[in-house]
Amino acid sequence: MPSYKEFHARSISDPDGFWREQAQRIHWQRPFERVLDYSRPPFARWFVGGTTNLAYNAVDRHQATRGEQAALVYISTETPSGEPAEKSYTYAQLYREVNRFAGILKGLGVGRGDRVLIYMPMVPEAVFAMLACARIGALHSVVFGGFASVSLATRIDDAKPKVIVSADAGSRAGKAVPYKGLLDEAIRLAQFPPAKVVLVNRGLAELPLVAGRDLDYGRLRAEHMNDEVACEWMESSEPSYILYTSGTTGKPKGVQRDTGGYAVALAASMEQIFCCAPGETYFCTSDIGWVVGHSYIVYGPLLNGCTTILYEGTPLRPDAGIWWRIVEQHRPTSMFSSPTAIRVLKKHDPAFLTRYDLSSLRLLFLAGEPLDEPTAQWIAQGIGKPVIDNYWQTETGWPILAIPRGVQALPSKFGSPGVPSAGYNVKIFSEHDGSEIGADQKGVVGIEGPLPPGCMSTVWGDDERFVRTYWTAIPGRMAYSTFDWGIRDADGYYFILGRTDDVINVAGHRLGTREIEESISSHPNIAEVAVVGVADSLKGQVAVAFAVVKDAGRIATPELKLAHEGDVMKTVDSQLGAVARPARVHFVTTLPKTRSGKLLRRSIQALCEGRDPGDLTTIEDPTALEQIRAAVAR
């Protein structure tokens, strides 16, 4: 193997040669004619003219060599006792289930280019549905199970799915979370409702069916038991799925992913970054509603011929040793989780870390939000394994920065997610003039085009928004902005210092402050509101709101103020879901703004975090900031 520097340098200087070699990792039904078409920047088309299929590469091509190997191991601790229930599917069994689900979708009129929205808990049927969509050339749009109706409705209207796949309920810490009522309300609110809804009945909640629209998955599966559905061979640049992520405008962005580039990037990353070989087991604790779940629960491990673990539950049920018990029983070699999850475990008896045999585990990867040094050291020492940070986004689909131990075992540095992955031409730019900044100087983390295979190809249905949002933020440069501050040290390691925009990261979930502000503003007694992300020792960041009320009498006493705060939080819960609920809602009589009317968000955030609010020469009313200071001091 070449050294990391040689490996990465070639991926930038000779992308055609480099990615032509990496493309051999997957099956091409028709060979590609060109590795890259970048004639219309910033839109990159990888492996032009080649045809392939994600489901074929993830399932079909393994039948001859590993048909009896476990492909998907489903483990749920959402049982009455909390003791894990398990079900395993071999590659042969997964093939049959995917064909059955593909038959169901084809029977409902879903075809190439149609959209299917998947609103599901962490159950095998969700994976079957994703792979079935890929098989027939339909685009799946997975929405995190339990998302509130208003948020779900906006995604329905943007994607316009022909079919929605859902369930009666999910479960969290042993308590059922009914989905059907949320789904019915979302469909009622949507301007473009689906023709059909396929429902998996888990027996956890009432499941009233709407005549003519709602269909029982169990009955449909029985009708399609022996279906054999041919793969649709997709041109490499045809879209494979849409995954929504928060934006600063209040309208979520549909990240559109291609087919061939995504398959190649994930297959390469499984070896080069995650060091998991075919036949080995991979354990990712994320959710399929997030990009990590798409890439490293479903597609990445299966493309690579691994066994993937699908876990439904919390890290604490039945106790704080459950994940390590799973490692002992199922012998994964690589594990992927989040810093937030480790900080949760840190509050419990460290003896759980040494109770089980973890000898199979070589590496623990953590990503989703910044990894602090105390957390990294605690878990590394506790389980006696290297902890590997990495940094990426929904938009990129796989790591931008990592320690590519499959190429060269570079040392990790606490606080740094590592060095650029193959194909990522990462630089630090000045926010003022777009010039490239040298070592140890703060600037905006950007990527010079083209983005490598696997990254977003555009915003669904809105090419102009793709260009405007991501490619115009760095002055004078056609460069992709991550909207994160960062520095690069003299060794080429990058350090991420926080967001440059109004998107916050709560336990790995990206939330637009504008979305939360719009939700709070819909409350009848709120005149104006500002939401900022504030550093939190457990979740990385939390949302904190400052609101001006219309009727001050509603908050005239501490008791009324507390009740009103709870009422505002319920509004957010009902519209965006509990994940978007602010940690606090403070009531003030005015918000700090410049004389031109711009909210001083960074100053508000600084006061919440006990920092200097910075230059306030343009503030319109200095007393407004004093109200913020007094509110957070209480």
Side-chain angles (χ1 to χ4, degrees), residues 339-347 369-370 372 375 537-538 540:
T340 294
I342 302 305
R343 286 192 283 265
V344 168
L345 294 177
K346 196 176 175 184
K347 294 174 181 262
E369 76 268 13
D372 58 285
T375 298
S537 60
L538 178 62

Side-chain angles (χ1 to χ4, degrees), residues 63 67 101 122 125 175 185 199 425 431 444 576 607 620:
Q63 295 305 306
F101 217 122
M122 289 284 285
E125 290 83 359
K175 296 180 180 178
E185 176 63 9
L199 292 158
N425 192 5
E431 67 169 322
V444 179
L576 302 179
L607 288 178
E620 181 180 38

Side-chain angles (χ1 to χ4, degrees), residues 348-538:
H348 294 265
D349 188 349
F352 283 116
L353 303 178
T354 55
R355 184 171 295 176
Y356 300 99
D357 176 9
L358 307 184
S359 58
S360 69
L361 192 64
R362 295 193 291 259
L363 302 166
L364 172 64
F365 296 87
L366 298 175
E369 76 268 13
L371 174 62
D372 58 285
E373 184 171 344
T375 298
Q377 288 185 327
W378 179 82
I379 191 63
Q381 292 168 3
I383 64 173
K385 307 291 178 180
V387 172
I388 311 299
D389 198 352
N390 53 113
Y391 162 79
W392 44 303
Q393 301 176 324
T394 301
E395 289 87 347
T396 65
W398 62 289
I400 301 170
L401 303 171
I403 299 295
R405 293 173 68 102
V407 178
Q408 181 183 354
L410 299 174
S412 293
K413 292 189 180 186
F414 283 120
S416 170
V419 295
S421 299
Y424 286 104
N425 192 5
V426 184
K427 296 184 176 179
I428 304 291
F429 295 104
S430 165
E431 67 169 322
H432 302 297
D433 60 13
S435 60
E436 190 175 350
I437 291 177
D440 298 318
Q441 296 182 58
K442 178 181 174 181
V444 179
V445 180
I447 305 166
E448 289 208 326
L451 293 177
C455 293
M456 71 184 300
S457 49
T458 189
V459 171
W460 170 252
D462 199 342
D463 285 353
E464 192 277 331
R465 189 180 184 192
F466 172 63
V467 176
R468 183 182 71 250
T469 299
Y470 297 103
W471 296 90
T472 62
I474 299 172
R477 293 272 188 165
M478 177 61 81
Y480 172 93
S481 176
T482 65
F483 298 102
D484 278 312
W485 297 112
I487 61 172
R488 182 186 65 253
D489 71 10
D491 298 324
Y493 285 69
Y494 286 75
F495 296 76
I496 305 301
L497 306 177
R499 296 291 291 181
T500 67
D501 65 2
D502 296 324
V503 172
I504 62 176
N505 195 324
V506 180
H509 307 156
R510 285 176 61 190
L511 303 171
T513 56
R514 176 72 177 275
E515 290 176 83
I516 304 172
E517 286 173 354
E518 288 182 0
S519 177
I520 293 174
S521 294
S522 71
H523 188 284
N525 195 39
I526 299 300
E528 197 175 11
V529 63
V531 173
V532 296
V534 177
D536 179 82
S537 60
L538 178 62

Side-chain angles (χ1 to χ4, degrees), residues 479-629:
Y480 172 93
S481 176
T482 65
F483 298 102
D484 278 312
W485 297 112
I487 61 172
R488 182 186 65 253
D489 71 10
D491 298 324
Y493 285 69
Y494 286 75
F495 296 76
I496 305 301
L497 306 177
R499 296 291 291 181
T500 67
D501 65 2
D502 296 324
V503 172
I504 62 176
N505 195 324
V506 180
H509 307 156
R510 285 176 61 190
L511 303 171
T513 56
R514 176 72 177 275
E515 290 176 83
I516 304 172
E517 286 173 354
E518 288 182 0
S519 177
I520 293 174
S521 294
S522 71
H523 188 284
N525 195 39
I526 299 300
E528 197 175 11
V529 63
V531 173
V532 296
V534 177
D536 179 82
S537 60
L538 178 62
K539 297 182 178 180
Q541 280 185 303
V542 293
V544 175
F546 296 86
V548 178
V549 298
K550 296 176 182 176
D551 179 6
R554 298 271 297 273
I555 58 167
T557 67
E559 292 77 17
L560 287 173
K561 188 175 289 188
L562 187 62
H564 202 50
E565 181 180 16
D567 195 40
V568 170
M569 289 180 174
K570 286 179 183 177
T571 299
V572 178
D573 280 2
S574 66
Q575 294 185 6
L576 302 179
V579 69
R581 181 195 305 146
R584 288 299 312 273
V585 180
H586 297 290
F587 299 109
V588 293
T589 61
T590 186
L591 295 171
K593 299 177 184 177
T594 65
R595 285 185 285 277
S596 62
K598 182 180 178 181
L599 270 170
L600 292 167
R601 296 179 187 278
R602 291 187 193 175
S603 296
I604 297 172
Q605 183 189 51
L607 288 178
C608 290
E609 295 179 348
R611 297 184 283 107
D612 185 336
D615 182 11
L616 301 174
T617 55
T618 62
I619 192 168
E620 181 180 38
D621 180 0
T623 66
L625 215 56
E626 289 308 311
Q627 288 194 52
I628 302 292
R629 197 189 305 270

Side-chain angles (χ1 to χ4, degrees), residues 147-405:
F147 243 47
S149 299
V150 173
S151 294
L152 180 55
T154 63
R155 287 151 173 78
I156 292 172
D157 283 338
D158 196 64
K160 301 179 180 61
K162 186 170 282 189
V163 170
I164 291 180
V165 179
S166 190
D168 59 336
S171 183
R172 184 72 176 169
K175 296 180 180 178
V177 181
Y179 287 1
K180 189 55 162 58
L182 296 168
L183 177 59
D184 286 345
E185 176 63 9
I187 292 174
R188 186 190 70 78
L189 293 170
Q191 297 179 45
F192 302 99
K196 299 292 181 183
V197 176
V198 175
L199 292 158
V200 176
N201 190 351
R202 307 180 70 196
L204 296 178
E206 291 294 319
L207 191 60
L209 301 183
V210 175
R213 187 196 75 187
D214 295 351
L215 303 166
D216 177 69
Y217 167 73
R219 182 181 62 78
L220 290 172
R221 179 177 177 274
E223 294 172 4
H224 293 271
M225 285 294 287
N226 300 314
D227 282 15
E228 291 279 347
V229 179
C231 288
E232 284 284 338
W233 297 108
M234 311 294 286
E235 199 280 332
S236 178
S237 295
E238 285 188 80
S240 56
Y241 68 75
I242 307 165
L243 183 59
Y244 288 91
T245 186
S246 292
T248 58
T249 64
K251 180 186 177 184
K253 300 183 294 287
V255 169
Q256 179 178 312
R257 193 84 64 208
D258 73 356
T259 299
Y262 186 55
V264 171
L266 292 190
S269 71
M270 286 299 295
E271 175 191 341
Q272 294 162 5
I273 297 173
F274 296 106
C275 304
C276 195
E280 295 181 337
T281 298
Y282 192 84
F283 180 20
C284 176
T285 70
S286 184
D287 189 286
I288 58 165
W290 313 124
V291 69
V292 176
H294 281 55
S295 294
Y296 296 111
I297 294 177
V298 182
Y299 290 113
L302 295 177
L303 284 164
N304 203 42
C306 299
T307 300
T308 186
I309 296 174
L310 180 77
Y311 176 71
E312 181 189 32
T314 74
L316 303 177
R317 181 180 168 87
D319 56 47
I322 182 58
W323 285 355
W324 316 117
R325 188 164 141 195
I326 290 170
V327 170
E328 178 180 85
Q329 293 173 347
H330 292 277
R331 316 297 292 163
T333 55
S334 295
M335 183 174 171
F336 192 145
S337 193
S338 71
T340 294
I342 302 305
R343 286 192 283 265
V344 168
L345 294 177
K346 196 176 175 184
K347 294 174 181 262
H348 294 265
D349 188 349
F352 283 116
L353 303 178
T354 55
R355 184 171 295 176
Y356 300 99
D357 176 9
L358 307 184
S359 58
S360 69
L361 192 64
R362 295 193 291 259
L363 302 166
L364 172 64
F365 296 87
L366 298 175
E369 76 268 13
L371 174 62
D372 58 285
E373 184 171 344
T375 298
Q377 288 185 327
W378 179 82
I379 191 63
Q381 292 168 3
I383 64 173
K385 307 291 178 180
V387 172
I388 311 299
D389 198 352
N390 53 113
Y391 162 79
W392 44 303
Q393 301 176 324
T394 301
E395 289 87 347
T396 65
W398 62 289
I400 301 170
L401 303 171
I403 299 295
R405 293 173 68 102

Side-chain angles (χ1 to χ4, degrees), residues 38-59:
Y38 199 50
S39 60
R40 192 168 68 97
F43 299 94
R45 298 177 62 223
W46 288 96
F47 311 114
V48 181
T51 61
T52 188
N53 183 283
L54 277 173
Y56 182 90
N57 278 283
V59 182

